[in-house]
Amino acid sequence: MILDALSPPILPHRTNPFPYAIPSSQRFLSSHKISIRSHTVFCAHNAQNLLDKMPNRPSKVSLWSSLILDSTKGGGFSQAFNIFSEMLKSDDKPDEFVLGSLLKASSGLSDLCIGEQLHAKAIRLGLASERGVRTSLIAMYSNCGFLELARQVFDDVPFVHLTDVPTWNCLISVYVSHGQYDICFCVFSYMLSMGHLAPTDATYASIISACASAGEIKIGRMTHSMIVKDKTIDKTMLLNSLITMYSKCGDLDSANKVFQRVEKTNIVSWNAMIAGFGQNEEFNLALKLFRELTRFDQQVLVKPNRITFLSVLSSVSGCAALKLGREVHAQVIKTGLEIETSVGNALVTMYGKCSDVIKCRLVFNRLPFRNAITWNSMLFGYAQNNQMENCIELFKEMIALGIKPDNHTVTILLNTLSSVTPISDCSLLIREIHGYLLRRSRSGLLNIAAYNAIITMYAKCEMLHEAEKLFNWMSKHDSYSWNAMIDGYSSNGYYDEAITFFVYMQEQGLKCNHLTFSILLTACGRLASAELGKQIHAFTLKHHFPRCQHQSHLLSVNNALVAMYSKCGSIRDSAKAFHQMAKKDVFSWTGMITAYAHHSMVYESFECFERMKRNGIEPNSVTFLGLLTACAHAGLVKEGTQYFDSMIEIYDVNPNVEHYACMVDLYGRSGDFERAVKMVETGILQLNLRQNSCVPLLKALLGPCHAHNQLELGVQVARQILELDPEDETSHVLLSNLYASVGMWENAITVRNMMKAKGLKKEAGCSWVELENRRHVFVAGDCSHPDRKRIYDKLAELDEKCRLIGYIPMTNFVLHDVDEVQKEAILSSHSEKLAVSFSVLQNGRRKGAIRVIKNLRVCGDCHNWMKFASKVEGREIVLRDSRRFHFFKDGKCSCRDYW
């Protein structure tokens, strides 16, 4: 027996809570001010005439009942009461069918006063115990928000009527609609325990719905077994409901098994399974099933409908498969559903997420009827594709047309501004929007999501103090509020505060969700703290994985684990987390491809891409960015060009600025500056870039110019960058270094003086290591560390050993006009060398790898020294600089001296 240990809660019995009576039709009408319009008045005389003309004369009450029922079914609730008023005038007494219909009408109006008077009328006429009346009473009180009164109606039912299953079904459905699933299960258990009550289709449907909403998969499985054993019911509809229930509980295997066993699948079955895959972010499986449906459609009469296309377009949006999205759009047009508002909204969203903003706007313009969701979808399309100006213009158009923005509109606008607007321009704009939100909050029009969005906006604009103030001011917080603060701290470099905030969240007894753990793991990756990452990983395994039933949530955390271990320099742990994943999506494969690329494992990256294709996963733009990065790090020009060309020709993925910049870097570092310059020009033309948008491509060209001493081209590119962005300190530094590398010291000094005049400072180079959960930071020539004497002694010892086996200082990397002795002295105290010496000093002859993080690109001399140091110490040295990872072992580096 299901939940036989539980007993249903018995509410206290209240005697006669309905003292109202309806002595006359006049009082009934005056009590709720029902106006009688001439076109809705059905007088007794006309009713009698209609009766006289009928060959088989029904009773007059039956005619009134039919008229009232028709009005109620058509949504004409006031009209139903007008007819009832005429009935009372003709001295006809209502029967249980009339009262049942009127109670449904009062439910539709959500008018408790009318419902109570009808209840009193039913009691006076002795009809309160009739099935139709009591079920309508229970539903009426529930719809009016008085669940206790609905339960009392049930408790007042005589025992002889408790064998009536529809009454039990009504009570169960009431508890489901109010979200009181535990009581619903108790009532169902008590019903079964009576022994003589057999559940019907409606009973099972309500219980399945409760299991889906409450995530009670165990009760759902028991209910499933009862349905299988029950030979008296039609199982098709219930099996469709079971598919939905299993999908919402994250058990796609069981959902798919139920789907496969449905003997006569209808479109509802297909929709339930397609939606289930989509809800669990199994987008490729959803699209595969849709293809089967379209083939199935040619053989039997199962055709996709509006719900089918909504689910499929959602899955297309989830995996950003533009080519397939166009195919689905073509089928939508064939079925004539393109102008249907909900389908149109889904198409707008799909094109926006697939970065085809032109097509997105075209679908938007063609929609004859637009609701708030339509406008929000278009706004989100602009926002997601960084088209801030168009987003703001559309918002102004929306206001001008008198369409009131909802909370989702405000959230989209906030996210757009925070991601696109320069930080220096954000302050005033944020406060204006915040004031607008506060004015809305006074009228109760603002929900917590809007506050969360503005917290995120403050954090992205480096206004953490304002974010903290708003968080503390809020009377209620949800998990997204806490996540926004933790992510805000992490993204602004306040990693200790992020972890402290998480600990405080735990102390408050609040449950973490998958987003919390993903944010924390991302913070560990940014911090490059492998030890802290392992602790968060262990906490996740203990507290989140066992109770997480949604595969999509597990997938999110697993993807974060792959990225975290990769950024911490532990590619083995990253690959282990990847291979242990039960299910992988495009982000999983892309994360592993990118991890191999940054660790100079270029051929492993290629192999991972091939396995991804064999598993039927379509690559996205980030996948190709990882592949191009791998090629750029290894100097594989041919392979890089092939991958770049295949993006458009084979996979229909449009390259963006980052892809073009990667190709510029690939050609430039290989010495092919003709192709590099041509790629810059092509990128500007193809992407229709304006002014500042060109800077990333030009900076990608400036780096190789410095590496290959291309003075003329480098100076030309640097001047272009400084014209577009005069405050870019990186370009100033590269130009100065370029002059210094060819001995043009006066020009180098001029550029440095220009930086000082503008108030620009070169970012100070530093390196750090983590030992016993403490971070030790070093700068060049550092004398601040408490152990500085021992560190410099160890460095001198290491340096001498390296020289004995062939190390020679590469003084050409010292861009200062000093003699050779001074240059060697400068090189000897670089921060990464100090960090390695400190690690050797602390760890002794341990076998573990030495892990060093550097905020800038490692210089050529330090790179060469690390190779010798790894050999003399017999230790692996892992160095992460601003571009990639370097693994030094036995006198060799994983980058093969190409970086």
Side-chain angles (χ1 to χ4, degrees):
M1 199 65 65
I2 297 178
L3 295 179
D4 53 3
L6 298 174
S7 59
I10 304 298
L11 299 175
H13 183 76
R14 293 172 56 188
T15 57
N16 194 19
F18 314 105
Y20 310 100
I22 310 177
S24 69
S25 61
Q26 293 301 318
R27 178 170 174 178
F28 181 84
L29 291 172
S30 62
S31 63
H32 1 80
K33 302 178 181 178
I34 296 177
S35 61
I36 301 177
R37 297 182 180 89
S38 59
H39 67 281
T40 62
V41 174
F42 290 81
C43 63
H45 176 70
N46 291 337
Q48 185 62 51
N49 289 339
L50 186 59
L51 278 170
D52 292 339
K53 294 177 181 179
M54 289 183 179
N56 300 317
R57 289 166 56 99
S59 68
K60 197 171 182 182
V61 175
S62 299
L63 179 59
W64 289 118
S65 178
S66 299
L67 295 171
I68 292 170
L69 179 62
D70 289 342
S71 298
T72 304
K73 283 185 175 179
F77 305 126
S78 297
Q79 180 177 324
F81 285 111
N82 292 337
I83 297 170
F84 181 53
S85 173
E86 292 298 311
M87 178 181 179
L88 293 177
K89 288 180 181 179
S90 66
D91 293 329
D92 291 322
K93 290 183 179 181
D95 59 9
E96 64 270 24
F97 303 108
V98 173
L99 290 175
S101 298
L102 290 170
L103 284 166
K104 290 176 184 177
S106 64
S107 294
L109 294 171
S110 297
D111 194 324
L112 180 64
C113 183
I114 298 177
E116 286 178 326
Q117 293 187 60
L118 288 169
H119 191 173
K121 187 76 171 176
I123 292 172
R124 292 184 61 194
L125 294 172
L127 300 174
S129 296
E130 294 294 331
R131 176 198 292 178
V133 175
R134 63 174 176 264
T135 54
S136 297
L137 281 169
I138 293 171
M140 181 272 295
Y141 282 121
S142 169
N143 291 340
C144 292
F146 291 86
L147 190 56
E148 185 179 351
L149 295 179
R151 178 57 188 257
Q152 184 169 335
V153 171
F154 177 83
D155 290 339
D156 288 341
V157 174
F159 184 79
V160 69
H161 293 300
L162 282 179
T163 57
D164 185 49
V165 175
T167 306
W168 288 85
N169 291 346
C170 185
L171 184 67
I172 290 171
S173 67
V174 160
Y175 281 124
V176 174
S177 64
H178 283 262
Q180 297 195 14
Y181 307 116
D182 289 341
I183 301 177
C184 159
F185 297 138
C186 288
V187 173
F188 181 53
S189 176
Y190 190 74
M191 173 184 170
L192 295 176
S193 69
M194 296 183 71
H196 57 277
L197 294 174
T200 63
D201 297 13
T203 319
Y204 290 127
S206 295
I207 295 300
I208 293 170
S209 175
C211 293
S213 301
E216 287 287 353
I217 194 167
K218 290 182 179 179
I219 299 176
R221 288 196 176 106
M222 286 189 282
T223 308
H224 185 181
S225 66
M226 293 178 66
I227 292 171
V228 172
K229 294 175 183 177
D230 196 331
K231 305 298 182 181
T232 64
I233 58 173
D234 180 14
K235 294 183 175 59
T236 303
M237 182 190 73
L238 294 176
L239 291 176
N240 294 340
S241 299
L242 284 168
I243 294 169
T244 301
M245 183 273 292
Y246 281 124
S247 299
K248 287 187 176 181
C249 291
D251 188 355
L252 286 178
D253 290 336
S254 295
N256 197 30
K257 286 178 182 177
V258 174
F259 175 72
Q260 297 297 335
R261 290 173 183 174
V262 177
E263 294 180 2
K264 296 180 180 179
T265 54
N266 52 27
I267 192 58
V268 179
S269 312
W270 289 87
N271 289 348
M273 198 63 245
I274 292 171
F277 283 132
Q279 288 162 5
N280 287 273
E281 298 185 11
E282 293 286 354
F283 305 123
N284 289 301
L285 292 176
L287 298 175
K288 181 181 178 181
L289 190 61
F290 176 69
R291 291 190 187 98
E292 288 183 21
L293 171 62
T294 52
R295 288 196 296 268
F296 193 63
D297 173 27
Q298 298 172 3
Q299 301 172 9
V300 294
L301 295 175
V302 179
K303 296 183 180 295
N305 59 13
R306 182 179 66 90
I307 305 300
T308 316
F309 288 118
L310 290 177
S311 298
V312 171
L313 288 170
S314 176
S315 294
V316 172
S317 301
C319 59
L322 180 59
K323 186 176 181 180
L324 182 58
R326 288 170 178 160
E327 293 175 9
V328 176
H329 189 179
Q331 294 192 46
V332 169
I333 294 172
K334 289 179 182 178
T335 57
L337 289 170
E338 187 186 25
I339 60 172
E340 204 277 328
T341 304
S342 61
V343 177
N345 295 345
L347 285 167
V348 171
T349 301
M350 182 272 291
Y351 280 116
K353 288 190 175 182
C354 293
S355 302
D356 193 342
V357 184
I358 296 174
K359 190 70 173 179
C360 179
R361 185 60 194 251
L362 186 62
V363 174
F364 175 83
N365 290 337
R366 286 178 176 174
L367 280 175
F369 303 103
R370 301 173 193 156
N371 54 21
I373 298 174
T374 315
W375 290 89
N376 289 342
S377 299
M378 191 66 239
L379 285 168
F380 186 72
Y382 282 135
Q384 198 172 39
N385 291 279
N386 296 327
Q387 296 193 16
M388 179 186 170
E389 293 179 4
N390 288 333
C391 186
I392 299 299
E393 286 301 316
L394 185 67
F395 179 72
K396 291 178 180 177
E397 182 184 342
M398 181 179 178
I399 298 297
L401 291 172
I403 300 169
K404 292 183 179 180
D406 58 16
N407 289 304
H408 191 50
T409 313
V410 175
T411 303
I412 293 170
L413 195 63
L414 286 168
N415 290 333
T416 305
L417 296 173
S418 64
S419 61
V420 182
T421 305
I423 293 173
S424 58
D425 299 337
C426 270
S427 179
L428 181 60
L429 188 56
I430 293 175
R431 287 186 170 88
E432 288 178 358
I433 295 174
H434 193 175
Y436 170 74
L437 294 177
L438 289 174
R439 289 193 297 273
R440 284 174 63 89
S441 68
R442 293 192 189 101
S443 57
L445 298 174
L446 194 67
N447 66 6
I448 199 170
Y451 287 124
N452 294 342
I454 203 165
I455 287 175
T456 302
M457 186 175 181
Y458 276 135
K460 285 184 178 179
C461 293
E462 299 181 2
M463 299 171 70
L464 273 178
H465 180 65
E466 297 296 331
E468 289 172 342
K469 282 172 61 177
L470 178 57
F471 181 86
N472 293 329
W473 175 83
M474 292 167 62
S475 58
K476 290 183 180 180
H477 306 96
D478 59 10
S479 60
Y480 295 100
S481 312
W482 291 87
N483 291 344
M485 286 302 303
I486 295 171
D487 190 44
Y489 285 125
S490 170
S491 58
N492 283 280
Y494 295 96
Y495 306 111
D496 293 338
E497 286 80 356
I499 301 300
T500 302
F501 209 77
F502 166 69
V503 173
Y504 179 63
M505 181 181 179
Q506 292 298 299
E507 290 173 350
Q508 297 292 311
L510 300 170
K511 289 184 179 180
C512 302
N513 58 20
H514 65 290
L515 294 176
T516 314
F517 291 112
S518 297
I519 291 168
L520 288 169
L521 291 167
T522 302
C524 295
R526 289 169 177 162
L527 187 59
S529 176
E531 290 304 316
L532 183 59
K534 287 177 180 177
Q535 291 178 36
I536 299 296
H537 187 183
F539 188 89
T540 305
L541 290 172
K542 184 177 180 181
H543 295 281
H544 180 64
F545 278 32
R547 59 183 174 84
C548 184
Q549 296 178 339
H550 288 274
Q551 287 293 332
S552 60
H553 295 177
L554 292 175
L555 197 58
S556 171
V557 178
N558 282 324
N559 289 344
L561 279 170
V562 171
M564 183 273 292
Y565 280 121
S566 167
K567 290 177 181 178
C568 291
S570 184
I571 189 64
R572 295 184 188 92
D573 288 329
S574 180
K576 184 178 179 181
F578 175 77
H579 291 305
Q580 286 180 345
M581 293 171 65
K583 293 188 177 179
K584 304 177 183 71
D585 61 1
V586 64
F587 304 106
S588 314
W589 290 96
T590 297
M592 200 64 241
I593 289 169
T594 305
Y596 283 134
H598 286 299
H599 286 78
S600 303
M601 301 172 71
V602 57
Y603 292 105
E604 287 82 351
S605 187
F606 294 163
E607 173 58 26
C608 191
F609 178 65
E610 293 302 319
R611 283 191 287 123
M612 174 184 175
K613 292 193 296 182
R614 287 196 295 270
N615 278 271
I617 306 294
E618 289 288 327
N620 60 18
S621 61
V622 185
T623 312
F624 283 104
L625 189 61
L627 291 167
L628 295 178
T629 300
C631 295
H633 285 171
L636 300 177
V637 175
K638 180 181 177 181
E639 290 83 351
T641 304
Q642 288 175 346
Y643 281 126
F644 184 79
D645 292 340
S646 69
M647 287 179 65
I648 304 172
E649 295 172 3
I650 300 176
Y651 299 100
D652 200 23
V653 176
N654 294 321
N656 57 31
V657 175
E658 291 176 304
H659 296 96
Y660 280 102
C662 210
M663 291 302 295
V664 172
D665 184 65
L666 172 62
Y667 292 139
R669 294 198 179 276
S670 67
D672 192 345
F673 285 95
E674 183 179 346
R675 294 176 77 179
V677 171
K678 187 176 180 181
M679 184 60 70
V680 171
E681 295 171 349
T682 304
I684 293 171
L685 182 65
Q686 291 293 327
L687 300 176
N688 192 25
L689 300 178
R690 303 176 186 175
Q691 298 184 348
N692 287 11
S693 303
C694 305
V695 171
L697 291 179
L698 295 170
K699 289 175 75 172
L701 182 58
L702 182 58
C705 288
H706 173 255
H708 289 272
N709 292 327
Q710 292 287 321
L711 180 63
E712 184 179 349
L713 179 60
V715 171
Q716 180 185 346
V717 172
R719 286 176 177 171
Q720 281 184 270
I721 295 172
L722 295 178
E723 284 178 9
L724 297 171
D725 187 4
E727 306 298 318
D728 184 60
E729 66 270 9
T730 306
S731 300
H732 282 89
V733 172
L734 285 173
L735 180 58
S736 173
N737 292 346
L738 187 59
Y739 281 130
S741 65
V742 294
M744 300 176 66
W745 300 110
E746 291 183 3
N747 296 70
I749 292 170
T750 301
V751 175
R752 296 282 179 174
N753 290 335
M754 190 189 306
M755 288 182 68
K756 289 181 181 178
K758 293 179 180 180
L760 302 175
K761 290 184 180 180
K762 176 187 175 183
E763 183 182 0
C766 67
S767 302
W768 66 89
V769 293
E770 189 180 82
L771 293 171
E772 297 178 354
N773 291 326
R774 286 190 62 190
R775 204 181 320 153
H776 299 264
V777 183
F778 300 90
V779 296
D782 201 331
C783 294
S784 62
H785 199 279
D787 250 354
R788 56 186 175 276
K789 186 178 185 307
R790 295 177 64 212
I791 292 171
Y792 276 100
D793 288 344
K794 176 56 71 174
L795 176 57
E797 179 188 327
L798 279 174
D799 197 62
E800 185 179 352
K801 289 180 179 178
C802 291
R803 287 173 187 263
L804 288 174
I805 62 171
Y807 165 68
I808 299 173
M810 303 170 72
T811 55
N812 58 304
F813 285 98
V814 180
L815 302 177
H816 298 282
D817 191 13
V818 294
D819 59 35
E820 289 297 308
V821 176
Q822 288 177 297
K823 286 183 178 181
E824 286 193 22
I826 293 170
L827 288 174
S828 67
S829 60
H830 274 191
S831 63
E832 48 265 64
K833 293 181 180 180
L834 292 171
V836 169
S837 301
F838 174 74
S839 294
V840 172
L841 192 65
Q842 294 296 315
N843 292 335
R845 304 295 294 180
R846 291 182 186 176
K847 295 182 179 180
I850 296 171
R851 300 181 187 277
V852 180
I853 313 297
K854 184 174 175 62
N855 65 331
L856 302 178
R857 187 169 180 262
V858 63
C859 79
D861 176 71
C862 288
H863 184 271
N864 191 38
W865 183 88
M866 293 279 181
K867 292 192 294 184
F868 286 97
S870 69
K871 189 170 185 178
V872 299
E873 281 297 311
R875 300 273 295 277
E876 183 178 344
I877 300 174
V878 180
L879 172 67
R880 189 184 95 173
D881 67 4
S882 60
R883 281 181 57 85
R884 66 195 294 180
F885 280 93
H886 298 269
F887 292 85
F888 301 96
K889 187 177 181 181
D890 298 329
K892 297 179 181 179
C893 180
S894 59
C895 72
R896 301 178 180 86
D897 295 336
Y898 187 93
W899 86 101

